[in-house]
Each structure stands twice: as C-alpha cells, then as structure tokens.
Amino acid sequence: LLAALLAGAMIGYERSYHGRPAGFRTHALVCMASAVLMLVTVYEAHWVKTAADSVRLDPTRMAQGIMTGIGFLGAGVIMKDGLSVRGLTTAASIWITSAIGVLIGIGFYIPAGFAVVLTLGTLSVFRWIELKMPMNYYAQFIIRFSVSQAMEEPALRKLVADHGFSVANLSYRLDRGADFYEYRMIIRTIEMENQSRLSAMLSQLDSVLEFRIAPTGD
C-alpha cells in the first residue's frame, strides 16, 4: 500500500506542478485504492472458505471493475469550453495510475516501477519534445464590427493570412438590433507567436468592436 501511495504521489505531483485540478492527492488515492482492491483478490483464500474444486474465482474481474470505475473519475476532469477540450492528459494519467496500482496490488513491483518511470517521462520529457516539434496550432477566432464599418470577407482573410494563419472554416452573424456584424472561424498556424501579432494588429483597428482568439489545445 505504501508503494502504491508513493507511485501515485509521484505522478500526481507532476500534475499538481502544472496546475491541473486532479493532482497530488487524487493520483495517490487512485493508485492506493486500486492496490487495495487487487489485494482483495490476491488473498481471496483468506476470506473465501470453499472446497478446492467447488468454486473458482476470477481475480481479473476485479481489475476490469477498477478500470471501468476509473472512467467516471477520468471523465470528471475533462472540461469543454467552446471548441477547446482540456483535461484529457490528466484523465489518461489517472487511468495509468490506476493500472499501476493494480500491478502493485498483485505484487508486480518491477513492471510497476517501469510504468511509473515511463509515465513520468511521458508527462515531462514528452511535453518538452511536443513544444519543440513543428505542429499546427488551432484557435477559435471571433471578431465583431459595427454594421456600417464591417470588413469585407476577402480583406479579413488577407489580414489573417498576412499574420501567418489559414482559415479552416468560417461562419457569419448579423444583428442589426445590436448593430454588429460578426465573423466566427477556426484559424491555424505553426507559430504560437502569430496569435499575439494578430491580436496587437486588431487592437489598433477602430472598426473592431471586439474580438476573441481562444486556443483549442489541451
């Protein structure tokens, strides 16, 4: 149980360090709970008094139940804000932490140790690699103009393209009562710095009533 507590705490600390809602205590309890439940099946002979051949128990069913139950906890940390989905990595870390608890519960300490090292490496080293890898960054872009000063679509597309973005899709909204014309689109770029450049440019346009650039990453 102490080994499971330590393994979960190590993974949970990495999540807490990066400000995730399910962190140090959550992961420690998940790993220890999984180990506790597996101990129930490992030492079933001590609490199930049956004849040797009359009843056969399947310890793997407990592991299946743990993995099913952990899905509810993982779903609780996944949050959707518009087109942005956050918490997927934390949910995956809770899942692997539970699996590590299962390994410790049945006494597979060496595979569990390797799993802890690989999990921490994935959460930390892979984060650094991900930041270095070239990839497309997506953002939801909403911009409003007054009806009389609304920018034409070709001009807006050119403005976005000049700042290193391409438009994935585009929708329109007109509200004459509130006197605004709105564009909504998903834009993508390979350089995160382009978002601040585009934001600075839009802030200087008097015709822009408001705008929003919201990244869609985890």
Side-chain angles (χ1 to χ4, degrees):
L1 294 181
L2 289 175
L5 183 66
L6 177 61
M10 291 172 62
I11 298 172
Y13 175 75
E14 192 280 338
R15 294 284 83 195
S16 291
Y17 180 80
H18 290 97
R20 298 301 185 262
F24 188 71
R25 292 182 299 171
T26 303
H27 284 72
L29 289 174
V30 164
C31 194
M32 188 170 64
S34 299
V36 167
L37 292 174
M38 288 310 299
L39 286 174
V40 172
T41 61
V42 170
Y43 294 99
E44 62 189 19
H46 293 271
W47 57 275
V48 180
K49 304 300 181 181
T50 62
D53 297 325
S54 61
V55 177
R56 294 184 181 275
L57 301 178
D58 184 5
T60 63
R61 297 187 65 181
M62 178 64 78
Q64 294 172 3
I66 293 172
M67 291 294 103
T68 301
I70 211 66
F72 292 95
L73 185 60
V77 301
I78 300 175
M79 296 170 288
K80 186 175 185 296
D81 180 16
L83 296 177
S84 179
V85 179
R86 302 181 182 278
L88 292 172
T89 302
T90 300
S93 70
I94 291 175
W95 192 23
I96 186 63
T97 300
S98 179
I100 291 171
V102 171
L103 289 177
I104 294 175
I106 61 178
F108 285 10
Y109 294 106
I110 294 178
F114 277 113
V116 170
V117 172
L118 292 175
T119 300
L120 291 174
T122 301
L123 293 174
S124 56
V125 178
F126 279 29
R127 176 191 296 272
W128 179 82
I129 295 175
E130 190 176 40
L131 292 175
K132 299 297 182 181
M133 292 173 59
M135 65 179 63
N136 281 319
Y137 298 97
Y138 288 81
Q140 183 183 35
F141 179 38
I142 303 172
I143 185 168
R144 287 184 177 182
F145 302 91
S146 60
V147 175
S148 60
Q149 295 182 301
M151 183 180 293
E152 296 291 334
E153 180 184 338
L156 180 61
R157 285 182 176 272
K158 184 178 184 303
L159 176 65
V160 170
D162 289 343
H163 286 80
F165 290 93
S166 59
V167 178
N169 55 52
L170 180 64
S171 62
Y172 317 85
R173 180 185 176 190
L174 172 64
D175 191 327
R176 295 192 181 277
D179 189 33
F180 70 80
Y181 190 85
E182 179 183 275
Y183 293 98
R184 287 175 177 258
M185 64 189 79
I186 301 298
I187 55 178
R188 60 174 177 257
T189 182
I190 59 173
E191 296 181 9
M192 285 289 290
E193 295 78 9
N194 290 337
Q195 296 186 31
S196 59
R197 292 177 53 241
L198 178 60
S199 175
M201 176 60 185
L202 295 174
S203 299
Q204 300 174 5
L205 298 179
D206 295 333
S207 59
V208 177
L209 297 178
E210 63 177 278
F211 69 89
R212 182 187 184 206
I213 303 174
T216 61
D218 184 39

